[in-house]
Amino acid sequence: MTQAQNSTDASTDGGDPAGSGAASGARDRLRARFLRWWRPDGMWRRGIATAVVAVVLTGLLVFHARVPNRVGNLGSLLETFLPWLGLIVPVLLVVAVLRRSVTALIAVVLPAVVWFNLFGGLMTDKSGSGGDLTVLTHNVNAENPDPDGTAKDVIAAHADLVALEELASNEVSRYSRDLAAAYPYHSVQGTVGLWSKYPLSSVRPVDIRLGWTRAMRATADTPHGKVAVYVAHMPSVRVKFDAGFTAGQRDRAADALGKAIAAEQLPHVVLLGDLNGTMNDRALASVTSQMRSTQGAAGNGMGFSWPASFPMARIDQIMVRGIEPVSSWTLPRTGSDHLPVAARLELP
């Protein structure tokens, strides 16, 4: 065997020691740099403050119902924007990485898990197909600059029942005229109204302890049976520097509405309206405890409806009892500061 052959065999059989050594050296250098940056000797002691914030955040998510309302209705304020606490999680994660803290990284897992347990289901598409009845609710805003355009947008949704809230007295006739062709049956009670493709009966205002009418009840005689339809507009809430989250009037109205719905004799009930509160708000428990949210049961995403320019909360609600939600969604913006909300329902 020649020297050239020996050289070739060595190259073929033995690989490339030099190349392998270079790769190994590069890995060692990267590892050394990472360890110098990470400083493992202090990874459990660093980031204690970040870990504490993560634990507090977890506590707020788990025990939000325990945050007292006695001072400025802080509990209800927290529950109105509860999903947005999830934005703090990625911030804490970045801080934990920059602080090179295992303690903080482990702590950040806690609020992440709790948030996904509370709201992760809303992020999936649960909507189905079919259904017997399409309903829509929209706070049209008393100062809406384009009532006619809003009425056209409502008609384009092809809903069978349409509830409108915050109807200005001088605009009622305009909405009635614009919607008449699509909805031959309608009733307006105070500042709320119901437009229907099907006959309405047993129409009456619902007393929600305000001194004026902002809620109503009607029976819609649909091809699939009679449905009790409630339309409501709860009093507005305010965040004031000296008074906190002022919601006392809203809370009393919600209790009255809950009692009215609890006394309803028909088995199939729909509630449409601007409740000025979310499903998480304990102050609406008298209503939410006996009804299902169509968005929660058959929606896709959070379904935020207010403010229309940058929706941050779902305060416009469609709830049902004795009816199966099939799909639920928000519609494009109109001239109002709220988004319209619609749902497709299946009657037993």
Side-chain angles (χ1 to χ4, degrees):
M1 185 178 294
T2 65
Q3 184 176 356
Q5 287 175 320
N6 287 335
S7 176
T8 300
D9 291 343
S11 175
T12 302
D13 297 338
D16 184 6
S20 177
S24 177
R27 287 194 298 270
D28 291 341
R29 287 193 295 273
L30 286 174
R31 182 173 180 274
R33 289 176 182 174
F34 173 77
L35 291 176
R36 282 197 301 271
W37 172 80
W38 180 253
R39 291 186 298 167
D41 55 313
M43 63 184 181
W44 294 101
R45 297 190 299 273
R46 293 189 298 268
I48 299 300
T50 304
V52 170
V53 173
V55 171
V56 171
L57 177 60
T58 304
L60 289 175
L61 289 168
V62 174
F63 302 108
H64 59 85
R66 301 294 183 90
V67 177
N69 259 344
R70 291 188 297 272
V71 181
N73 281 288
L74 289 178
S76 287
L77 178 60
L78 171 67
E79 289 165 335
T80 298
F81 300 102
L82 195 64
W84 291 94
L85 291 185
L87 292 179
I88 302 175
V89 173
V91 175
L92 293 176
L93 179 62
V94 171
V95 173
V97 171
L98 293 178
R99 289 288 295 146
R100 295 154 291 181
S101 169
V102 172
T103 301
L105 286 172
I106 294 174
V108 170
V109 172
L110 298 176
V113 170
V114 173
W115 189 93
F116 275 104
N117 181 61
L118 290 173
F119 303 109
L122 293 175
M123 305 306 293
T124 60
D125 187 357
K126 300 177 292 298
S127 59
S129 58
D132 308 315
L133 189 70
T134 301
V135 298
L136 180 150
T137 180
H138 189 25
N139 179 326
V140 295
N141 187 1
E143 299 178 0
N144 190 324
D146 185 19
D148 295 324
T150 298
K152 290 179 181 177
D153 292 336
V154 166
I155 293 171
H158 303 293
D160 300 306
L161 298 173
V162 171
L164 301 183
E165 303 88 46
E166 204 171 301
L167 289 165
S169 57
N170 61 329
E171 298 291 358
V172 170
S173 59
R174 176 180 291 191
Y175 281 108
S176 299
R177 179 198 66 210
D178 290 345
L179 296 172
Y183 299 97
Y185 310 97
H186 88 277
S187 175
V188 175
Q189 303 288 324
T191 61
V192 299
L194 177 65
W195 278 258
S196 173
K197 292 183 178 180
Y198 310 122
L200 299 175
S201 61
S202 301
V203 180
R204 64 175 185 267
V206 175
D207 182 10
I208 55 174
R209 304 175 187 170
L210 296 178
W212 68 98
T213 301
R214 287 177 60 149
M216 63 175 288
R217 183 259 183 223
T219 297
D221 191 3
T222 79
H224 303 280
K226 295 183 182 296
V227 178
V229 184
Y230 286 79
V231 182
H233 182 195
M234 295 292 101
S236 298
V237 295
R238 298 286 186 269
V239 180
K240 299 181 179 179
F241 180 78
D242 58 343
F245 190 62
T246 58
Q249 197 175 42
R250 190 277 312 265
D251 298 350
R252 290 188 294 273
D255 288 341
L257 178 63
K259 290 179 180 178
I261 293 174
E264 176 59 52
Q265 297 299 306
L266 288 179
H268 311 316
V269 185
V270 177
L271 170 61
L272 308 166
D274 172 9
L275 302 190
N276 270 307
T278 68
M279 293 297 293
N280 297 311
D281 192 337
R282 76 196 70 174
L284 302 183
S286 61
V287 175
T288 58
S289 63
Q290 58 179 316
M291 307 194 78
R292 296 176 69 192
S293 162
T294 60
Q295 183 67 29
N300 180 14
M302 293 290 186
F304 293 151
S305 62
W306 177 88
S309 57
F310 188 82
M312 297 182 65
R314 174 160 49 94
I315 63 175
D316 300 276
Q317 308 285 357
I318 298 176
M319 299 185 200
V320 296
R321 188 177 74 195
I323 298 174
E324 187 65 27
V326 175
S327 57
S328 186
W329 64 96
T330 57
L331 283 76
R333 186 179 181 181
T334 69
S336 172
D337 57 341
H338 291 244
L339 296 180
V341 178
R344 186 77 175 154
L345 311 174
E346 182 175 320
L347 299 179

